Amino acid sequence: MIKKALLLLLSVAITAGSFTGCTSTSGNDDTNLQTQEIKFDDEKSADLVIVGAGAAGLSAALEAVNNGAEKVIILEATNKTGGSLNFTSGSMSAAETIIQEEDGIEDTLESFVEDIMNTGSDFGGKPNREMIEIFVEEDKDAFQWLWDNGLSEYEFTKDQQGNRAVFAPEHALYSIQRTYKAQAKDKTNYKSPLHEVLDGLLKSNSKIEVEYLTKATDLIANDEGQVLSVCGENTQTGKVTRYNSKKGIIVATGGYSANHKLMAKYATYGGSYITGSPATADGNGLLMMQKVGGALQDDEIMGYIPTFPMGLASKDDPTTGIIASTYTWKTGGIVVNKEGERFVNETEANPSIREVALEEQPDAVQFDIFTDKILEDLRANNAAGMYDLRFGAEGAPGKHALYEADSLEELAEMIEVPVEKLQATVDSYNASVEAGETDEFGRSYDENFNTFKLANNKIEGQKYYAVRLNALCIMTLGGIQTNTDLQVLDASGSAIPGLYAAGEVVGGIWGKFVSGGTGVMGPVVFGRLAARHAMSTEPATGYEVKPAENMLDEELFIKDKTSENEFDMSKELKDGKYEVTVDGQEGPMTVNVTIADGKISEVVVGDNKETEAVASGAIKDIPAKIVETNSVDVEAVSGATLTSERIKKAVVQCLTEAAK
């Protein structure tokens, strides 16, 4: 059976000025397709239309104006710009920069290329040297562009020598300091200084229009085979608009790290990875481009899904989470899998080795095992910052993942791992510590201390602790195929006229692992390049548009309902004011509900520690929707799903109290 909309643009009728053109298909089999045109409510035109207002989309829009565009339209599915930049502090990297010059650090573009190639080639990865060379060359100018447009005014993290060009230990280290970690000025609305700079440029540019809460649904080709239109649906009103472009469409919709079904298709335990990405990183941009012939990278490259071995699952939604680690292995802790067995050298300096090792464990789950003595030494070495932030402080977001016991046996039972296996693992480990040699995983126990090994300790003490962590995915490295001009290619390698892609939606650039700062600067660089080529290239004519072969199954893009925040509103409710506190993103959230005449008359979100840059839309809109409909059965705000669900959870608890 053909999935509805799978061959969405098999035949498309385009009539200038008419309000038709978006199509869907239905039928019982391949030979019985009926194409039905969907009416739309409005039509808008621009020199360039961009799908997605993340780093790639914003950079592309600004560059398009610099290259002569009088009007650029960006379609953004959420109520704010930034995309993944709302979820990261946005470390940047570039070589031969003004910061390196001022710090007295000599670097070369050639060295940068080789470092990226080496990292991406780890574990058999296949980075694209040509694209990486283009990136590195353009990256130098892109960083200077950001610097000249406000980045120079930001405060940067410095190393012990006072340099602003630093090493970033969360990734494989570069051969030279070329990572830059700036702090956002408006920390209420921005996590990333790059986002803040781009937003500032956007707001001062009258030639760029952002259509918020507008989800691109379909690309449209004209009679000449040029993909120069896109359908966008307003997620609040349902209004459908056709957006026409003179020069081209740039798809900058991000990756698929929030689509567990798609990750499971390409990685053994991909469905168990937790995601630290926006909910809009669902891969729908890939399917949209496939419908007009866009070719995906092969399955191997689509399986390039790097993770961090330090994911703290959300208490409210265990499929999502944030970066967190105890780092207790630095002072003697170990990590074990669900069988209670060690599987890696915990102090390994190459993070790729630790990442892959966790990805291969059952459900991609590990437990950090440590004791009070190990924790004491971690604090004595000033290395407990992450632990205290995520697990130790009052209201810390990781309290639900922290287990404390008086014995190893009790701890094993709490975390549901085999007691005998955990005991044997600890006994073997303790023996290695006592011998002071190197164990079978390559972990050494001599007195040569470094950043990854601050002390040697056995697993013994008055208190035993465990923290459950998951493989955390914040980006994917597979995606659509493009040429060096960022034109989307079909299966034959031909460019689809008018269609470009930039950012994480493009696959096959970096190899199996991304180098530090390229996940942020890559979208900036390739967004600018896509816009430059689109503005200077006339779309070819005479191309035959048809769906790609090996289309992804539409079922992969249908989200399973995970919310349990439902309440039977037929129950009689007692008038009054009710208050509930639930766990939030970085601490508790308080919600007040007023019942009047048996109905919900007011919902107010009080004290909370949500990330305002992400959560503000949900905090404003979800209470209003609940009151308007007198129900908690309302749609989550796109891009703020977790906050939406927390509010609904609190309201359900208040309603439950009111129904007693």
Side-chain angles (χ1 to χ4, degrees), residues 362-392:
D363 296 328
V365 168
Q366 73 177 41
F367 292 93
D368 286 14
I369 306 293
F370 54 99
T371 66
D372 49 353
K373 176 61 168 61
I374 291 170
L375 189 54
E376 179 183 332
D377 280 2
L378 191 72
R379 292 198 168 105
N381 282 277
N382 297 315
M386 175 70 86
Y387 178 87
D388 289 334
L389 176 67
R390 296 305 197 207
F391 307 101

Side-chain angles (χ1 to χ4, degrees), residues 545-610:
V545 173
K546 57 183 178 181
E549 298 178 1
N550 303 318
M551 291 282 294
L552 290 168
D553 191 332
E554 187 184 7
E555 291 293 331
L556 295 171
F557 301 88
I558 299 175
K559 294 182 179 180
D560 295 328
K561 187 173 181 180
T562 58
S563 174
E564 297 179 355
N565 298 328
E566 300 178 357
F567 184 83
D568 181 4
M569 291 303 296
S570 67
K571 293 182 178 180
E572 183 177 347
L573 301 177
K574 182 180 179 181
D575 289 355
K577 294 185 176 181
Y578 302 86
E579 180 179 289
V580 164
T581 299
V582 296
D583 292 328
Q585 179 70 21
E586 301 288 347
M589 170 195 285
T590 299
V591 175
N592 295 275
V593 175
T594 300
I595 305 297
D597 297 327
K599 295 183 178 181
I600 305 170
S601 66
E602 185 178 43
V603 176
V604 177
V605 178
D607 294 338
N608 68 88
K609 292 182 172 59
E610 303 296 285

Side-chain angles (χ1 to χ4, degrees), residues 506-552:
V506 179
I509 296 177
W510 308 108
K512 198 165 186 177
F513 301 95
V514 70
S515 297
T518 57
V520 169
M521 289 304 296
V524 173
V525 165
F526 291 119
R528 281 161 52 91
L529 285 172
R532 201 176 302 160
H533 290 304
M535 290 302 299
S536 62
T537 305
E538 285 299 319
T541 59
Y543 179 82
E544 181 185 358
V545 173
K546 57 183 178 181
E549 298 178 1
N550 303 318
M551 291 282 294
L552 290 168

Side-chain angles (χ1 to χ4, degrees), residues 332 423 425-435 457-460:
Q423 185 65 63
T425 295
V426 169
D427 288 344
S428 176
Y429 169 78
N430 286 347
S432 296
V433 176
E434 189 170 334
N457 275 304
K458 295 181 180 180
I459 304 293
E460 58 183 20

Side-chain angles (χ1 to χ4, degrees), residues 43 99 179 207 212 411 453 495 576:
E43 188 169 13
I99 290 182
T179 300
K207 296 181 179 180
Y212 292 104
L411 186 69
K453 185 178 71 172

Side-chain angles (χ1 to χ4, degrees), residues 451-471:
T451 302
F452 299 93
K453 185 178 71 172
L454 302 173
N456 293 316
N457 275 304
K458 295 181 180 180
I459 304 293
E460 58 183 20
Q462 297 297 313
K463 291 291 184 180
Y464 292 80
Y465 299 93
V467 166
R468 179 185 171 115
L469 296 173
N470 301 66

Side-chain angles (χ1 to χ4, degrees), residues 92-114:
M92 296 169 276
S93 62
E96 298 184 4
T97 65
I98 187 171
I99 290 182
Q100 288 176 318
E101 180 181 347
E102 293 178 354
D103 285 349
I105 296 172
E106 294 186 5
D107 196 3
T108 66
L109 301 183
E110 293 77 13
S111 171
F112 194 12
V113 169
E114 293 309 317

